[in-house]
Amino acid sequence: MPRSFWDRWAGFYDLAERTNRTAVEGILRAVVKRIPAGAGVLECAAGTGAISIAAASRAGHVLCTDMSLPMLERAKTKAARLGLANISFERRDLLSLPDPDDWYDVTVAANVLHLLPAPEDAVRELWRVTRPGGLLLLPTFLQGEGGWGFTNILIPAYQLAGFRPKHRFTRRSYREMIDGCGLGRADYILVKGRLPAGLAVLQKP
């Protein structure tokens, strides 16, 4: 099976995130503070597990998932180094989750919606497995609002390596996409950084 861009990129992923450290750390803080103590958490497209590992400090259990096995192996190594016992790892496609409806207290998918041709499908699938009263947290880099260096240097460099975003969200277009899913009221938070992120927060009735 051919290695994907994300398989090849796994060894550099954490280094790449440091180029936008302010936004990445802001996302971590914003997500973790919204996780209730003892919650069951699903993270999809987790990469090397930064959010899942941070969430484990509050959650009862975290299921950290990604399509890339090399990414998951790095996440496992980091969790093992920290001695975390309340986190597990699985390869999963966030567009087709095996879980029953209304299963998790909190579902998270960070910085993946801009990679999908139809991000609404992923939002609705995550919503399906979120229990009533639970939270869906969707932090997403706003590539349409990046600074000059990201827009003209870093993103083109990533594209040369095989990075293929499908959307360049702005605050407005991201809000329109989420609202268009028809899931009810969402709160929107801007996470500042060299490449800012929009965090959509939805609570399931």
Side-chain angles (χ1 to χ4, degrees):
M1 182 175 179
R3 283 164 57 88
S4 72
F5 168 79
W6 300 106
D7 293 342
R8 299 192 307 273
W9 193 250
F12 304 97
Y13 188 81
D14 292 333
L15 180 62
E17 293 227 311
R18 288 178 201 158
T19 64
N20 195 30
R21 179 175 296 182
T22 298
V24 169
E25 292 179 352
I27 289 170
L28 286 175
R29 289 192 299 270
V31 168
V32 170
K33 78 177 186 180
R34 288 172 170 80
I35 294 175
V41 177
L42 169 69
E43 186 186 7
C44 292
T48 59
I51 289 176
S52 288
I53 288 168
S57 65
R58 293 179 57 85
H61 183 265
V62 178
L63 177 56
C64 175
T65 74
D66 200 279
M67 282 293 288
S68 169
L69 290 177
M71 288 282 191
L72 286 175
E73 286 303 318
R74 288 191 166 268
K76 286 181 188 178
T77 298
K78 290 195 284 187
R81 192 179 300 132
L82 293 169
L84 297 176
N86 64 333
I87 185 169
S88 56
F89 303 86
E90 290 185 18
R91 185 176 187 267
R92 286 197 181 181
D93 179 355
L94 83 168
L95 294 172
S96 182
L97 297 171
D99 309 287
D101 295 353
D102 306 333
W103 193 251
Y104 296 97
D105 299 304
V106 181
T107 54
V108 184
N111 302 321
V112 64
L113 297 180
H114 61 288
L115 303 175
L116 305 175
E120 300 87 353
D121 292 343
V123 174
R124 293 189 184 102
E125 178 68 348
L126 290 161
W127 189 248
R128 179 185 69 79
V129 301
T130 305
R131 70 166 181 81
L135 292 176
L136 172 56
L137 305 176
L138 298 168
T140 299
F141 287 134
L142 302 174
Q143 292 193 33
E145 299 194 10
W148 187 90
F150 265 92
T151 301
N152 295 287
I153 298 176
L154 284 176
I155 290 176
Y158 295 158
Q159 289 173 328
L160 286 173
F163 176 62
R164 296 290 183 265
K166 304 298 183 183
H167 304 274
R168 291 174 57 86
F169 288 121
T170 62
R171 277 174 278 188
R172 179 176 178 177
S173 64
Y174 188 55
R175 180 187 293 261
E176 288 174 348
M177 185 275 291
I178 297 292
D179 290 348
C181 293
L183 304 179
R185 179 179 177 273
D187 292 325
Y188 295 94
I189 297 150
L190 178 65
V191 181
K192 295 182 179 180
R194 295 173 66 191
L195 182 62
L199 169 60
V201 180
L202 299 96
Q203 185 166 28
K204 193 169 186 178

